[in-house]
Amino acid sequence: MMAVLLLGTVSALVYAAAAVAQRGAAARTALPGARGYRRSGIWWTSLLLNALGALLHTTALRYGSLVAVQMLGVLTLVAAPVLSAALLRSPMSAEQWRGRR
């Protein structure tokens, strides 16, 4: 059971990091004169993080039930905005903390 908790939690955090990286890549490529996604190192990093998250998620399923792993996967929804605010140095609004935006 401990392996499921560890793998599921780390998987959720890796997926959250991938989402933050994709957000950063999208913001950078929207700037004038920016290179495309495929030329962006941060975009490729996000793809690798997604692949790692999928690998960890699948490995967690080997040790536990789908219900347990999916419940841990919901942590991605909590971790992504907090991680994004921390890494991009933009404070979260009160609405974002309440989950309304």
Side-chain angles (χ1 to χ4, degrees):
M1 185 65 168
M2 192 63 164
V4 174
L5 290 173
L6 180 64
L7 289 168
T9 302
V10 173
S11 171
L13 294 175
V14 170
Y15 275 132
V20 173
Q22 287 174 347
R23 178 182 178 200
R28 286 182 184 173
T29 56
L31 297 173
R35 301 180 315 188
Y37 285 126
R38 287 180 280 174
R39 293 184 181 173
S40 171
I42 195 167
W43 180 257
W44 289 106
T45 301
S46 73
L47 289 178
L48 290 173
L49 286 170
N50 270 317
L52 177 60
L55 178 67
L56 290 167
H57 189 87
T58 305
T59 305
L61 287 171
R62 186 180 195 295
Y63 297 106
S65 69
L66 176 64
V67 173
V69 176
Q70 287 299 99
M71 286 174 48
L72 290 168
V74 172
L75 290 173
T76 302
L77 300 174
V78 176
V82 175
L83 187 60
S84 178
L87 292 178
L88 301 177
R89 294 184 179 95
S90 61
M92 291 177 58
S93 68
E95 286 183 340
Q96 288 171 322
W97 277 109
R98 289 190 301 264
R100 295 187 180 181
R101 185 173 176 211

